[in-house]
Amino acid sequence: MNRFVEFINTGDEDLAREGISPDAVFHAPSHPEPLRGPDGYLEVLGMMRSAFPDVQWTLEEKVTEGDTVAARFTMRGTYDGEFFGIPASGNEISVQAMNFYYLADGRIVGERGQPDLLGVMQQIGAVPAPWTS
């Protein structure tokens, strides 16, 4: 997981190919169909970096059972690009994500990610936060 966190924080393609199986399947709420392999993951990272160029993920905690890892991340960044058609606001964001990773032969073969997209949309100013009027 430490190498994976290094990959998502740098977007290093070599790390992607080292740690992600070519047959890996990723279920991301931003895409209706699963993404596949290192290129699929790089696509999601590219989408995030185009909106939040300085985005960084901090692995807050993880639980491993067999070949499954549950991981809670904090994602932080500055909203400096368009995200789902919403223009940049320059707002800082900090949201949680809960992801499940499936491993085989020391590589990621699958992921189900649940980022706090409502929190993101509230913090970039696209959706009113419940505590504001």
Side-chain angles (χ1 to χ4, degrees):
M1 284 306 294
N2 292 334
R3 295 287 282 171
F4 178 74
V5 172
E6 182 182 351
F7 155 62
I8 61 176
N9 282 327
T10 63
D12 184 312
E13 290 185 28
D14 291 333
L15 287 175
R17 296 189 197 306
E18 173 186 314
I20 298 172
S21 168
D23 301 320
V25 177
F26 300 103
H27 299 272
S30 57
H31 291 72
E33 297 297 321
L35 298 154
R36 302 200 179 272
D39 291 333
Y41 216 97
L42 286 162
E43 180 182 328
V44 171
L45 284 181
M47 178 190 78
M48 293 305 296
R49 289 197 183 286
S50 69
F52 308 94
D54 61 349
V55 68
Q56 291 289 290
W57 286 268
T58 303
L59 180 59
E60 303 290 355
E61 60 185 308
K62 67 182 174 183
V63 176
T64 303
E65 184 176 312
D67 289 335
T68 302
V69 177
R72 183 177 62 83
F73 293 91
T74 299
M75 182 183 86
R76 293 178 181 87
T78 308
Y79 185 41
D80 283 336
E82 188 175 287
F83 189 65
F84 290 109
I86 300 152
S89 64
N91 290 4
E92 299 285 325
I93 65 155
S94 178
V95 296
Q96 299 288 303
M98 185 67 205
N99 299 347
F100 290 89
Y101 297 92
Y102 307 97
L103 310 172
D105 300 320
R107 298 170 98 184
I108 294 173
V109 296
E111 178 198 52
R112 287 201 177 266
Q114 294 298 316
D116 179 6
L117 287 179
L118 177 58
V120 171
M121 299 305 267
Q122 289 171 334
Q123 291 179 37
I124 66 174
V127 174
W131 55 86
T132 63
S133 47

